[in-house]
């Protein structure tokens, strides 16, 4: 893992609205700039942090995709989430000062390092930053509840439809297409996250293709009928995770 101290100007970053609070004045932005002063490059397949590692920082993803996962008792990797540019990871370490999962880059990535003690100190003085940190934590709680609902009550088709809708929605917020996406994760990783076997994920993708809902070329997915995906999810009467 290579790290280099390059000044990161949050005030000039095109992802600022996604990972930093709105409405900060110039002085507050400058103070945050002074805290978030290091970028770290992470190569594909390399861990940003590991389960059991001492917690020191949160990380704002600048470019790339990550997965968070835990190792089960039988040695399998259980995927707990996928994170993309503009999102913040590392919150799992706050509770007991050690990370409770692994964060692995799914492609070459770059993160902004946010030392938590400095962020905590600054948030006491900048109310908007404190609210923003609380919002991020709350969003993680809501996401985990959504995943529990997903795994507890949805059929395979509903799980995959909800996953695709959620992913494309998040990508669209970052300026990408509302109907096309490149899956950075494997079907096996999708299955691990959704609680489905690899064969079930592949079979469900094939059914969506046969029904004209999506087009799939390796990892490229084009959503042909968004309404059909939404109908699959809404029939279950559960929110998209």
């Amino acid at each position: 893992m290579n790290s280099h101290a390059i000044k990161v100007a949050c005030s000039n970053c095109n992802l600022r609205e996604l990972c930093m609070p709105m409405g900060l004045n110039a002085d507050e932005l400058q103070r945050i700039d002074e805290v978030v002063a290091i970028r770290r490059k992470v190569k594909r397949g390399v861990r940003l942090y590991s389960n059991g590692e001492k917690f020191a920082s949160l990380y704002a993803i600048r470019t790339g995709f990550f997965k968070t996962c835990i190792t089960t008792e039988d040695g399998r990797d259980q995927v707990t989430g996928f994170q993309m540019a503009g999102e913040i990871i590392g919150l799992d370490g706050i509770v007991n000062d050690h990370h409770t999962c692994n964060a692995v880059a799914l492609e070459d990535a770059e993160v902004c390092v946010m030392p938590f003690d400095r962020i905590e100190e600054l948030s006491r003085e900048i109310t908007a930053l404190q609210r923003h940190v609380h919002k991020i934590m709350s969003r993680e709680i809501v996401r985990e509840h959504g995943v529990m609902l997903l795994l507890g009550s949805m059929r395979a088709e509903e799980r995959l439809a909800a996953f695709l809708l959620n992913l494309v929605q998040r990508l669209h917020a970052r300026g990408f297409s509302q109907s096309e996406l490149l899956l950075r994760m494997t079907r096996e990783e999708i299955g691990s996250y959704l609680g489905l076997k690899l064969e079930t994920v592949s079979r469900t993708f094939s059914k969506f293709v046969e029904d004209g809902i999506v087009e799939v070329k390796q990892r490229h997915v084009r959503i042909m009928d968004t309404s059909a995906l939404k109908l699959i999810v809404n029939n279950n009467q559960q929110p998209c995770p």
Side-chain angles (χ1 to χ4, degrees):
M1 185 183 301
N2 297 319
S3 63
H4 52 287
I6 298 177
K7 186 63 183 175
V8 178
C10 294
S11 52
N12 296 322
C13 180
N14 60 1
L15 295 173
R16 179 167 66 90
E17 293 182 6
L18 293 171
C19 66
M20 278 291 146
M22 298 287 289
L24 298 176
N25 61 41
D27 178 63
E28 291 170 335
L29 278 172
Q30 183 179 350
R31 295 180 69 187
I32 292 175
D33 282 350
E34 291 170 357
V35 171
V36 186
I38 295 178
R39 292 182 197 169
R40 177 176 293 173
K41 290 187 176 181
V42 189
K43 290 291 185 181
R44 180 176 178 234
V46 173
R47 292 181 183 180
L48 174 62
Y49 56 80
S50 301
N51 179 29
E53 184 178 318
K54 185 171 176 55
F55 168 71
S57 301
L58 298 176
Y59 303 92
I61 303 173
R62 188 175 176 84
T63 61
F65 249 78
F66 284 84
K67 70 172 179 180
T68 48
C69 56
I70 58 174
T71 303
T72 60
E73 290 183 2
D74 58 3
R76 291 181 298 106
D77 272 351
Q78 172 65 52
V79 177
T80 58
F82 298 106
Q83 298 80 22
M84 63 182 70
E87 296 181 341
I88 293 176
I89 57 176
L91 293 163
D92 60 285
I94 295 175
V95 63
N96 61 7
D97 293 326
H98 287 81
H99 289 289
T100 58
C101 65
N102 305 316
V104 184
L106 293 177
E107 60 183 354
D108 289 354
E110 186 175 66
V111 299
C112 298
V113 182
M114 307 166 65
F116 188 67
D117 56 348
R118 298 286 306 281
I119 290 293
E120 202 171 27
E121 180 183 335
L122 198 57
S123 68
R124 296 190 191 103
E125 302 173 27
I126 303 176
T127 307
L129 180 60
Q130 185 180 59
R131 281 199 303 266
H132 191 66
V133 172
H134 290 165
K135 184 184 292 186
I136 291 169
M137 293 178 179
S138 177
R139 188 170 61 207
E140 281 300 296
I141 294 170
V142 171
R143 184 194 66 80
E144 288 185 4
H145 285 175
V147 172
M148 284 191 290
L149 287 170
L150 180 78
L151 299 182
S153 60
M154 287 187 173
R155 296 178 294 108
E157 288 183 19
E158 294 162 344
R159 296 182 192 190
L160 186 57
F163 174 76
L164 291 174
L165 287 171
N166 175 261
L167 197 58
V168 78
Q169 179 186 32
R170 288 157 66 196
L171 287 167
H172 181 59
R174 288 147 181 82
F176 293 96
S177 170
Q178 283 185 288
S179 59
E180 295 188 39
L181 63 153
L182 175 65
L183 296 175
R184 270 74 171 189
M185 65 291 292
T186 65
R187 281 164 173 67
E188 187 173 12
E189 288 167 333
I190 293 173
S192 176
Y193 178 64
L194 297 179
L196 300 172
K197 293 181 178 179
L198 171 61
E199 296 78 7
T200 305
V201 174
S202 297
R203 187 168 60 247
T204 307
F205 263 118
S206 296
K207 186 176 189 309
F208 285 174
V209 171
E210 291 172 7
D211 293 343
I213 298 173
V214 301
E215 286 183 356
V216 180
K217 294 181 180 178
Q218 295 180 331
R219 293 197 181 189
H220 291 267
V221 176
R222 175 181 292 178
I223 298 176
M224 309 299 293
D225 193 342
T226 302
S227 297
L229 282 180
K230 290 180 178 178
L231 186 62
I232 291 171
V233 176
N234 290 337
N235 279 343
N236 187 266
Q237 296 298 311
Q238 297 289 358
C240 188

